[in-house]
Amino acid sequence: MKLNLPSVNEIAQRSLNTTKRFPFAIFSALAATISAICFSEIEFSNTKDYYWLSDMIFVSVLGVSFFTGIQTFSESLKWDNIKNIIAKGTGLLMLVGYYFLPEGYLTEGANEVFYRYFVLFLISHLFVAFAPFIKNPDVNEFWGYNKTLFLNFLISALYSAVLFFGLSIALLSIDNLLGFDVKDQRFMQLWIFLVGVFNTFFFLARVPKMGEFEPSVTEYPKALKVFVQYVLIPIVTIYILILYSYLVKIIVQWELPTGWVAKLVLSFSIAGIFSLLLLHPIKDEAKNNWIRLYSKLYYIGLVPLVVLLFVSIGTRISEYGVTINRFYVATLAVWLAGIVIYFIVSKSKNIKVIPISLALIGLGITFGPLSAFSVSERSQQGRITEILDSNNMLSENGTVITDSTKVPLINKKEFFSLVRYLVHNHGIESMQPFFNEDIENIVRGNSSKIDVYKITNAMGIDRAERGQNDDALGEYFSFISRKDEQYEIKGYDYLLSSVYMGSNPVDQKGEFKISYNQLEDRIIILDEGSQKSISVEIEPVVNSLTSKFKNTDRVSAEVSSSLMKLEGENEDFKVKLILENLSGYRSDTLWVKHLKTHIFIKLK
């Protein structure tokens, strides 16, 4: 077989043609690559000052798929250059507007900002899948087009991985053999360049135009049929049967389903639909009648599971209100029900309905008063209002009346959880309706974790998360040793790294058993071979740290390792402990909740 390798001129011409066809997508890829390379040069401790740059990466990545979809859509409608430029210009304005949204930086804001980006990222890729076929009724061509895109993605990813592997070895060789100092971030930057530039060019160069399909594009791969028929479908069927068994168990025991079942129903229902999509082009062949029969029975069989899904997510929402994740699950449940009904009732069974409907629903739940974020915020605010109102802590205008004695202890943990959810997922502004004072004045200058405590304290509800032992536990402390400091190991025989004592106050490191005596506040190191031991008291370092950082107010203070050092010596051992992490409660008594340490041991 003759292997035809492209010439340099052919490669240059193909790159030029790709750039002319997808200029905005290429520009987005270059912007994302340059921004990512620049961001990789920034020290981790200073990245918070460069959120604008990380946002540029996220928005530019979104632009690659978005502008690819716009280009193939305009090609399918045979738009002239003016319409094409107007469409891409409008898309550019949309991305710029998204970058400058008033909700703050994508990588710094509340969790809902990331959730919104994730949905938009999914929508932009779905758009690439169906953009050329919005007015093209040929379903088989639609399937072949997406098969080509998928194979191109795999091939470009493979080429990028091989190039990275080869060039990384070259860099290592230059570093080790020729004496050049190749910094670690150069490997990351190499990967960024290959993914952002090479992978994008390679993929876009192979995106087919409408009407230019080769016969091989719509040929069905035999390996794919074997994989779907003998691997994917049997696995999906097994899990569907397991879910049916669980459904029978629910009916027999008459108990509500667990929240976990919703994820299973969605996961394997969608996997089954995907399996049938993969078999779509050959379903009408006489030898594949089983595909049509299986497809019909599959969608009918999903009906009881969709009912189970609605019951499961409905139970969670009725008990705990709407959250972003529950809204997504409920929305997918509605979408899945619609898809099931469509493929049972419809005669055409157009597979384009799947990505188009999913993209439209995703767009609908991302912005506006009926978005996942607005509905979730109102739901959880409503739960807080119910707790405050039931304890006579709301004024006539709906703001809080601070009096912690009116809140039953059983509601404190729930209340703190609600406040934390709103702050972390919707920002501190979501708590503004409960205050007359500007909430920024309450939490200014503090991190999101402190915001929660500051807000609950301002509402007169202190230490809400501790439950019934609230007053007995005392003041909380948490200290972390700086990880960039070097530890001196000279003079010791053993180093036990990252010994952890949390819920189970015992850890085993080789022949040494390390335990924590809660009553005496001592770390005990036992050599199981000789049965010799040494104990080190921990209270002195706790007293020293809490005295030095009296106003930590639950902050995880990062301190020098010299302040986290314990030493002990007896006739058998000399030991030194460098605490990595230390947290607990301090009052008249000490309760160490979490402890992680390095232990240096010298045998005598």
Side-chain angles (χ1 to χ4, degrees):
M1 182 178 68
K2 185 178 180 181
L3 180 63
N4 294 319
L5 296 176
S7 65
V8 175
N9 289 336
E10 186 179 350
I11 293 175
Q13 186 61 45
R14 185 175 295 181
S15 299
L16 181 61
N17 293 338
T18 302
T19 304
K20 287 181 178 179
R21 185 184 178 196
F22 298 102
F24 282 74
I26 295 295
F27 174 79
S28 296
L30 291 174
T33 301
I34 294 171
S35 300
I37 291 175
C38 292
F39 194 77
S40 67
E41 291 285 346
I42 301 169
E43 293 290 336
F44 180 77
S45 58
N46 297 327
T47 53
K48 63 181 180 180
D49 298 324
Y50 293 88
Y51 283 127
W52 61 272
L53 188 57
S54 61
D55 279 9
M56 179 65 72
I57 300 170
F58 280 100
V59 175
S60 298
V61 167
L62 196 64
V64 175
S65 52
F66 185 43
F67 286 122
T68 301
I70 291 177
Q71 175 63 29
T72 55
F73 175 69
S74 66
E75 288 176 353
S76 68
L77 298 181
K78 299 181 180 179
W79 281 351
D80 56 28
N81 288 335
I82 295 178
K83 290 182 178 179
N84 198 348
I85 292 174
I86 291 175
K88 292 175 182 175
T90 303
L92 181 61
L93 290 176
M94 292 171 64
L95 287 177
V96 171
Y98 178 58
Y99 178 85
F100 288 105
L101 276 178
E103 59 187 350
Y105 294 122
L106 291 171
T107 44
E108 184 190 30
N111 290 345
E112 75 167 68
V113 183
F114 175 76
Y115 279 112
R116 181 178 287 110
Y117 176 84
F118 175 78
V119 175
L120 291 175
F121 183 81
L122 175 63
I123 291 172
S124 69
H125 283 75
L126 289 172
F127 180 49
V128 173
F130 64 75
F133 294 92
I134 292 179
K135 287 193 174 182
N136 186 338
D138 193 327
V139 176
N140 285 330
E141 192 173 357
F142 167 77
W143 188 94
Y145 175 80
N146 280 278
K147 185 205 76 171
T148 303
L149 292 185
F150 182 67
L151 292 178
N152 287 347
F153 169 77
L154 294 180
I155 294 172
S156 59
L158 176 63
Y159 276 44
S160 299
V162 171
L163 274 173
F164 176 73
F165 180 75
L167 293 175
S168 294
I169 292 178
L171 287 177
L172 285 173
S173 301
I174 292 173
D175 188 4
N176 291 287
L177 299 179
L178 301 181
F180 287 89
D181 183 17
V182 180
K183 297 181 179 179
D184 291 342
Q185 55 261 50
R186 297 295 175 257
F187 295 91
M188 173 62 73
Q189 291 166 355
L190 173 62
W191 177 248
I192 291 171
F193 175 80
L194 290 174
V195 172
V197 178
F198 172 80
N199 187 78
T200 302
F201 262 98
F202 191 92
F203 176 83
L204 292 178
R206 299 165 65 88
V207 173
K209 292 183 179 181
M210 297 301 96
E212 296 182 359
F213 279 100
E214 298 177 2
S216 60
V217 172
T218 54
E219 288 180 359
Y220 194 85
K222 293 181 180 179
L224 182 60
K225 179 182 178 181
V226 172
F227 171 74
V228 175
Q229 183 174 347
Y230 296 107
V231 178
L232 195 55
I233 283 183
I235 290 176
V236 171
T237 303
I238 289 172
Y239 277 96
I240 294 296
L241 292 175
I242 292 173
L243 288 172
Y244 261 93
S245 301
Y246 180 69
L247 180 61
V248 171
K249 176 185 173 183
I250 290 174
I251 295 173
V252 172
Q253 297 183 353
W254 201 245
E255 61 178 13
L256 292 175
T258 64
W260 194 59
V261 74
K263 298 177 182 178
L264 283 179
V265 172
L266 279 174
S267 300
F268 292 104
S269 297
I270 294 174
I273 293 173
F274 179 70
S275 302
L276 294 174
L277 282 177
L278 293 178
L279 294 171
H280 176 78
I282 58 174
K283 66 180 178 61
D284 293 325
E285 295 179 4
K287 61 181 178 180
N288 293 320
N289 288 333
W290 69 271
I291 297 177
R292 292 196 302 275
L293 177 62
Y294 181 86
S295 177
K296 184 176 181 179
L297 294 176
Y298 178 78
Y299 285 111
I300 293 175
L302 282 184
V303 173
L305 296 181
V306 171
V307 174
L308 176 63
L309 175 59
F310 275 106
V311 173
S312 176
I313 189 60
T315 300
R316 292 295 169 271
I317 291 176
S318 64
E319 291 178 348
Y320 306 110
V322 179
T323 61
I324 297 174
N325 287 335
R326 291 184 196 124
F327 191 96
Y328 282 164
V329 172
T331 303
L332 285 174
V334 173
W335 173 80
L336 181 60
I339 292 297
V340 168
I341 294 172
Y342 172 78
F343 278 96
I344 291 176
V345 175
S346 173
K347 293 183 179 180
S348 61
K349 295 178 174 49
N350 192 329
I351 59 175
K352 291 193 297 183
V353 169
I354 294 174
I356 292 176
S357 61
L358 192 58
L360 291 176
I361 289 176
L363 196 61
I365 66 173
T366 301
F367 298 100
L370 296 180
S371 69
F373 318 108
S374 297
V375 173
S376 166
E377 184 176 348
R378 290 196 300 269
S379 175
Q380 299 305 315
Q381 285 175 339
R383 293 183 66 204
I384 289 180
T385 299
E386 288 179 7
I387 294 176
L388 294 175
D389 190 45
S390 64
N391 290 278
N392 300 316
M393 292 185 64
L394 279 181
S395 64
E396 292 182 357
N397 62 355
T399 56
V400 67
I401 302 173
T402 59
D403 187 351
S404 62
T405 61
K406 292 182 180 179
V407 181
L409 204 56
I410 192 173
N411 279 344
K412 275 193 172 185
K413 293 171 69 176
E414 178 187 7
F415 190 87
F416 178 81
S417 178
L418 291 169
V419 174
R420 181 171 55 187
Y421 174 84
L422 283 172
V423 171
H424 288 177
N425 289 282
H426 302 288
I428 57 174
E429 300 81 8
S430 60
M431 291 299 297
Q432 183 61 63
F434 301 102
F435 294 92
N436 289 316
E437 180 185 359
D438 186 353
I439 199 166
E440 289 284 350
N441 296 331
I442 299 175
V443 299
R444 182 177 291 129
N446 295 295
S447 68
S448 60
K449 287 186 178 179
I450 303 175
D451 292 342
V452 176
Y453 298 106
K454 289 287 186 180
I455 291 171
T456 54
N457 288 342
M459 301 175 94
I461 305 173
D462 296 331
R463 296 186 293 276
E465 83 286 10
R466 294 190 195 169
Q468 296 183 348
N469 294 323
D470 189 14
D471 296 328
L473 295 178
E475 296 298 322
Y476 178 80
F477 63 85
S478 178
F479 300 100
I480 300 173
S481 177
R482 292 197 184 100
K483 295 183 179 180
D484 56 346
E485 297 186 358
Q486 301 295 318
Y487 305 133
E488 179 60 49
I489 62 174
K490 186 177 180 180
Y492 293 91
D493 302 317
Y494 296 90
L495 168 58
L496 311 181
S497 299
S498 300
V499 178
Y500 178 73
M501 282 161 276
S503 56
N504 181 20
V506 178
D507 199 354
Q508 186 81 33
K509 294 287 184 178
E511 63 193 82
F512 294 98
K513 179 180 179 181
I514 302 93
S515 59
Y516 182 69
N517 188 318
Q518 187 74 59
L519 296 177
E520 298 181 2
D521 298 315
R522 289 179 175 272
I523 296 175
I524 302 170
I525 303 166
L526 171 68
D527 183 348
E528 292 191 313
S530 65
Q531 288 298 304
K532 295 178 180 179
S533 65
I534 184 172
S535 64
V536 182
E537 189 177 359
I538 199 171
E539 189 166 11
V541 74
V542 174
N543 290 340
S544 173
L545 287 169
T546 53
S547 175
K548 189 176 182 65
F549 299 91
K550 287 184 178 179
N551 298 319
T552 57
D553 193 20
R554 300 180 174 275
V555 177
S556 293
E558 190 175 21
V559 301
S560 170
S561 61
S562 62
L563 299 176
M564 302 277 277
K565 182 170 68 175
L566 296 169
E567 293 182 301
E569 187 172 2
N570 61 15
E571 66 272 19
D572 301 310
F573 300 99
K574 177 183 176 182
V575 297
K576 177 175 68 174
L577 287 76
I578 303 294
L579 304 181
E580 255 190 290
N581 187 300
L582 176 65
S583 64
Y585 300 96
R586 185 78 175 90
S587 59
D588 294 335
T589 60
L590 174 66
W591 178 37
V592 174
K593 189 175 181 182
H594 296 288
L595 190 155
K596 190 176 182 182
T597 181
H598 301 296
I599 302 177
F600 302 81
I601 302 174
K602 179 177 177 58
L603 302 178
K604 292 186 177 180

